[in-house]
Amino acid sequence: MTSHGDAAARATARHAAERAVARCRQLAEAPYSDMAGGLFRPFLGPAHLATQARVAAWMEQAGLSTRRDATGSLIGRYEAAEPGAPALVLASHLDSVRDGGAFDGMLGVLLAIESVAALHAAGQRLPFAIEVVGFGDEEGSRFPQSMLGARIFAGKAYGAVAAMTDQAGITLREAMRQAGLDIDRLPEATRARGDILAYFEAHIEQGPVLDIEGLSVAAVEAIAGIRRFHVRLHGVAGHAGTVPPSLRRDALAAGSEIVLAVEALAARQEGLLATVGRIEARPGAINVIPGEVSLTVELRSGNRACLDDGLRAIEDRIAWIATRRGIKAVLSDHQAFQPALCDPRLVALMARSMTACGLPARRLVSGAGHDAMMMCDWVPTAMLFIRSPGGVSHHPDERVDIADVRAAFAVMADFIQRLPRVLASPRDGALS
């Protein structure tokens, strides 16, 4: 027989999931989007600011006090039983890619609010505070710097960003000024390590694994590291009808061979993903041999050695292809994001919560980047993946199933309740 407590918990989870999903859908429409007929919520644009105001109101209804930090991130705090205690941060992002989906980032923020709302409705205060954070610029869809809010929150270097411009030529300094923020105060958003107990992020998977396996949720063990660079190939343009094959220095043929080499590398190296995401050929005429080609290469893996080995292998292959074809290859704009490992004890705790909720304790590595990447080497960090039906994300067809969101809420609630016990022993049970 089902206990009254179990029935009440299921009712709470159902209500929380339905409300979070409905709110996500509401925030995918005007005035919470800066494009007609789709969702685009760039950092500090009109839709982003309107969304912040709406989400702040929901936070306050759930019992949180709200503020904006110096980066423009929205922060709500639910005080601990003893005021001033360190906080468990429940977070994700409010911004979106162009023509994106309703649930990427936003679902994690709204489920965090629902988690606090349930505690507030029950009159429960915990030994730690809870802070719900809606970061402003995870996607980098307006300015060429992603995860700015999370970077500064965690005290990471962020470089000289004031003069960065968007496509309209507006600098970050000016965009922040228009939003009532002062870019010179960005360092004030960095939090003291002792103020943060741990970090938890719920996010849609953005891939097909859980859907293929018929599972609702998974604990994230690590977030894949990334290596990115640009390749510029300099050959010789020529008339398509007069230059014989043996005399051609065709930059596009070399680029095509590089694309296939990147694909082959990922096919034979377990745990490595490799992609050529963009290629451009010049002069781009139907009857001219391409003399100049630009392309991008991106490698991803949860294993740093795998990433580094893959990078060396593809760089060597590019050099070999270029030499054999008489092409000059210039590699530039290298970017490196190290793999981010979630805290093993929090991963284990989440697995126990999944089992307690009657769910398989599936674990995954995230191939996509998240704000949590900025936290993993700073505070104990955990992520929970929620199934993406069809594996669709960053697209208007992105969706979630209510049953999966209910499961995620139940796991989050159980995780939050179990966390004090994990932290009970400073020597044997404390998080590293």
Side-chain angles (χ1 to χ4, degrees), residues 342-422:
C342 292
D343 188 280
R345 300 197 64 249
L346 289 190
V347 174
L349 175 60
M350 193 179 304
R352 288 199 294 274
S353 292
M354 292 161 67
T355 301
C357 294
L359 301 163
R362 182 68 163 97
R363 301 184 183 193
L364 287 176
V365 173
S366 173
H370 303 282
D371 290 306
M373 294 181 73
M374 298 295 112
M375 309 296 166
C376 287
D377 64 349
W378 181 55
V379 295
T381 298
M383 279 197 74
L384 178 68
F385 266 171
I386 305 163
R387 171 167 37 187
S388 295
V392 177
S393 184
H394 281 191
H395 189 276
D397 291 343
E398 179 181 283
R399 62 186 179 90
V400 293
D401 289 338
I402 287 289
D404 297 336
V405 181
R406 284 201 305 267
F409 175 85
V411 171
M412 290 176 67
D414 189 86
F415 178 94
I416 291 168
Q417 294 293 339
R418 290 176 186 268
L419 191 56
R421 280 170 274 173
V422 171

Side-chain angles (χ1 to χ4, degrees), residues 174-207:
E174 177 61 16
M176 294 191 72
R177 188 194 66 77
Q178 292 174 359
L181 299 164
D182 181 355
I183 199 165
D184 294 327
R185 300 181 67 177
L186 284 179
E188 295 177 13
T190 297
R191 302 296 295 274
R193 173 61 186 87
D195 291 343
I196 307 300
L197 184 70
Y199 178 94
F200 179 106
E201 182 169 352
H203 204 284
I204 58 173
E205 182 196 352
Q206 299 181 277

Side-chain angles (χ1 to χ4, degrees), residues 93 95 101-107 139 203-204 206 393-394 398:
H93 59 96
D95 63 320
F103 302 99
D104 177 11
M106 186 59 70
L107 181 61
E139 299 288 4
H203 204 284
I204 58 173
Q206 299 181 277
S393 184
H394 281 191
E398 179 181 283

Side-chain angles (χ1 to χ4, degrees), residues 45-71:
H48 180 238
L49 298 178
T51 299
Q52 276 195 337
R54 180 69 270 178
V55 174
W58 289 333
M59 285 183 174
E60 290 164 6
Q61 292 170 12
L64 295 119
S65 59
T66 63
R67 65 183 180 90
R68 275 198 314 177
D69 74 7
T71 69

Side-chain angles (χ1 to χ4, degrees), residues 12-197:
T12 298
R14 181 174 63 254
H15 175 71
E18 290 173 351
R19 185 162 63 178
V21 169
R23 286 174 168 177
C24 283
R25 290 178 175 144
Q26 177 184 341
L27 294 174
E29 301 175 351
Y32 308 111
S33 172
D34 284 342
M35 68 177 288
L39 174 60
F40 181 39
R41 193 161 45 238
F43 180 47
L44 299 181
H48 180 238
L49 298 178
T51 299
Q52 276 195 337
R54 180 69 270 178
V55 174
W58 289 333
M59 285 183 174
E60 290 164 6
Q61 292 170 12
L64 295 119
S65 59
T66 63
R67 65 183 180 90
R68 275 198 314 177
D69 74 7
T71 69
S73 294
L74 175 63
I75 300 176
R77 183 175 174 95
Y78 186 71
E79 197 52 79
E82 293 292 331
L88 167 65
V89 175
L90 306 178
S92 197
H93 59 96
L94 301 182
D95 63 320
S96 83
V97 298
R98 183 177 293 277
D99 208 20
F103 302 99
D104 177 11
M106 186 59 70
L107 181 61
V109 175
L110 295 180
L111 276 177
I113 293 172
E114 293 298 336
S115 297
V116 173
L119 294 172
H120 185 58
Q124 184 179 7
R125 298 282 173 172
L126 300 171
F128 48 86
I130 295 179
E131 291 193 8
V132 177
V133 181
F135 288 116
D137 193 25
E138 191 263 3
E139 299 288 4
S141 57
R142 182 177 181 185
F143 296 98
Q145 171 73 286
S146 60
M147 305 181 202
L148 182 65
R151 285 176 193 273
I152 298 176
F153 189 95
K156 299 290 192 299
Y158 54 91
V161 297
M164 292 192 308
T165 59
D166 63 12
Q167 290 185 341
I170 298 172
T171 65
L172 179 59
R173 178 182 294 277
E174 177 61 16
M176 294 191 72
R177 188 194 66 77
Q178 292 174 359
L181 299 164
D182 181 355
I183 199 165
D184 294 327
R185 300 181 67 177
L186 284 179
E188 295 177 13
T190 297
R191 302 296 295 274
R193 173 61 186 87
D195 291 343
I196 307 300
L197 184 70

Side-chain angles (χ1 to χ4, degrees), residues 196-221:
I196 307 300
L197 184 70
Y199 178 94
F200 179 106
E201 182 169 352
H203 204 284
I204 58 173
E205 182 196 352
Q206 299 181 277
V209 175
L210 290 177
D211 198 36
I212 290 170
E213 296 182 4
L215 300 177
S216 292
V217 295
V220 176
E221 292 184 301

